Amino acid sequence: MKQLLQWTIIIPILSWVLFFSGLVENSSIFQIIASILLILSVMSAVHHSEIIAERVGEPYGTIILAISITVIEVSIIVSLMISEGSEAASLARDTVYAATMLILNGIIGLCLLIGSIKHYEQNFSTSSVTIGLVSLISIIVFTLVFPTFTESVHGSYYSKPQLIFASIACLVIYGSFLFAQTKGYRQYFLTNGGDDEAKTHPIEINNKTFYTSMVFLLVSLGIVVLLAKTLSPTIETIIIGYNLPKSLVGVIIAIIILLPEAIAAIIAARKNRLQTSLNLALGSALASIGLTIPSVAAVCIAMNMPIVLGLDIKSIVLLALSVFTVMLSLSKGKSNIVYGVVLLVNLFAFMFLMIYP
């Protein structure tokens, strides 16, 4: 009973009750309450994912969280595309692009900065980073860059055969990355070091706590999806009301989606487990593109809906700058406070140029 009265269980339940009450759609006060509950549900998801990760061990814990977050992303994007039709044709591209920029510059940048401030210098496996970045670069080019330059269809679109090929390529690359992370080269992704307290007093997770966390991770993530979808029209109205670009909707959705992983990665960096942070960040970026685009593409093909994938030249340059900076920052296997600062400046440039193009 004590376990069932924890806030990490009570908050998701209250969020579900509020959602089914129907009060959120017609009341600004309840929309504010829903926003607060949404953030707290994200925190609950982080808590339960950490318990699961502690029980199953690395890198499986980070994989579970990354795939769970991707399920959220796909659910929100597909539901909005179905409800809004052709007006949301670029939503998948905007959200995936925003998620990639936030992960590469924001999450990795914050982890490098905070970890360096607390521990001065942190070590990580360059082999795991190389595997992740090689996979990520290929997927990025297939999904976000090539559609801008192909000639079969006018505009930033893939033809149907091209879209099928790109989707299969993403799944093959992500599948090979998962194989390397869990089987073939698992030793590269294991965390060495960490807080002395964690080594001296390892946390034991019993079966009851583990299965409760499994259930409430899904409960928390599920309500995050539904509340984000419910609040998205309000967010879009506010953005349009301030004459801001509609692509900011994708950024805000990406921020909501990535909050659990961002918090978990920053906590790991503070505990001197930068390898776990990088596993989360790069694994999330790969899952965000490698699973989201094929899933959305399958729905669009089945329902004959348009999907815009190709980025404009400015966005491609910003994305290339981010990837190149991350590659150089993670090439030596040691963190540095300067790397974190530069990546965060890249993130601010991305946001600034979106508002002031």
Side-chain angles (χ1 to χ4, degrees):
M1 180 61 69
K2 182 179 179 181
Q3 188 178 24
L4 293 175
L5 293 177
Q6 294 177 353
W7 73 268
T8 53
I9 290 177
I10 293 174
I11 290 296
I13 293 174
L14 287 176
S15 302
W16 278 96
V17 171
L18 178 61
F19 174 77
F20 281 114
S21 71
L23 297 171
V24 180
E25 296 180 1
N26 302 316
S27 171
S28 57
I29 294 175
F30 281 105
Q31 286 178 351
I32 294 172
I33 295 173
S35 301
I36 296 171
L37 289 176
L38 187 151
I39 301 299
L40 292 176
S41 295
V42 168
M43 300 292 291
S44 174
V46 172
H47 170 78
H48 292 301
S49 68
E50 285 183 335
I51 291 175
I52 294 168
E54 192 72 33
R55 175 64 181 268
V56 302
E58 289 296 339
Y60 297 103
T62 57
I63 293 172
I64 290 172
L65 183 56
I67 292 179
S68 299
I69 298 303
T70 304
V71 171
I72 291 181
E73 187 174 12
V74 172
S75 301
I76 294 175
I77 291 172
V78 169
S79 60
L80 289 175
M81 290 184 73
I82 291 174
S83 62
E84 297 185 17
S86 59
E87 293 183 3
S90 63
L91 182 63
R93 179 200 64 186
D94 293 341
T95 305
V96 168
Y97 172 54
T100 304
M101 295 294 286
L102 288 167
I103 292 167
L104 293 180
N105 297 304
I107 296 179
I108 293 180
L110 279 172
C111 289
L112 292 177
L113 179 64
I114 292 172
S116 297
I117 289 173
K118 184 168 184 181
H119 302 285
Y120 180 68
E121 192 175 77
Q122 295 174 293
N123 298 322
F124 54 89
S125 166
T126 54
S127 298
S128 67
V129 169
T130 301
I131 291 172
L133 287 175
V134 166
S135 304
L136 182 61
I137 291 169
S138 183
I139 286 179
I140 284 174
V141 173
F142 278 129
T143 55
L144 300 178
V145 178
F146 273 174
T148 303
F149 301 99
T150 52
E151 300 175 359
S152 298
V153 181
H154 179 70
S156 299
Y157 296 89
Y158 265 147
S159 65
K160 185 176 178 180
Q162 290 170 337
L163 187 57
I164 292 173
F165 171 80
S167 299
I168 293 173
C170 288
L171 293 174
V172 169
I173 292 171
Y174 185 68
S176 65
F177 171 78
L178 282 185
F179 172 78
Q181 192 176 23
T182 58
K183 298 291 182 183
Y185 303 93
R186 184 173 177 235
Q187 69 273 17
Y188 295 157
F189 296 86
L190 298 179
T191 299
N192 295 318
D195 282 352
D196 293 335
E197 183 180 349
K199 299 178 196 174
T200 309
H201 305 287
I203 302 172
E204 294 185 4
I205 308 297
N206 58 41
N207 288 336
K208 182 180 178 182
T209 302
F210 174 70
Y211 290 120
T212 300
S213 290
M214 284 285 287
V215 170
F216 277 92
L217 174 63
L218 297 176
V219 169
S220 300
L221 294 177
I223 195 59
V224 169
V225 172
L226 295 175
L227 287 179
K229 182 178 182 295
T230 302
L231 294 172
S232 61
T234 304
I235 295 171
E236 186 173 332
T237 301
I238 293 172
I239 288 173
I240 294 173
Y242 282 95
N243 295 319
L244 296 172
K246 194 176 178 180
S247 55
L248 272 178
V249 175
V251 176
I252 293 172
I253 291 174
I255 290 173
I256 295 171
I257 290 168
L258 293 172
L259 266 178
E261 282 175 312
I263 295 170
I266 291 169
I267 290 172
R270 281 182 53 83
K271 292 180 178 179
N272 201 20
R273 293 162 53 195
L274 186 60
Q275 182 65 55
T276 298
S277 301
L278 295 177
N279 288 349
L280 272 168
L282 295 177
S284 174
L286 279 162
S288 177
I289 307 178
L291 296 180
T292 299
I293 295 299
S295 301
V296 174
V299 173
C300 290
I301 291 172
M303 302 187 68
N304 198 28
M305 295 192 306
I307 175 172
V308 178
L309 287 178
L311 296 170
D312 57 33
I313 298 300
K314 180 187 69 179
S315 299
I316 291 173
V317 171
L318 277 172
L319 185 57
L321 172 64
S322 301
V323 171
F324 186 63
T325 307
V326 169
M327 288 176 63
L328 292 179
S329 300
L330 303 181
S331 63
K332 300 296 183 182
K334 293 183 183 294
S335 66
N336 187 302
I337 193 171
V338 177
Y339 303 155
V341 171
V342 173
L343 287 171
L344 290 174
V345 170
N346 287 350
L347 177 65
F348 293 138
F350 160 67
M351 299 293 292
F352 180 82
L353 291 173
M354 179 173 291
I355 298 172
Y356 298 99

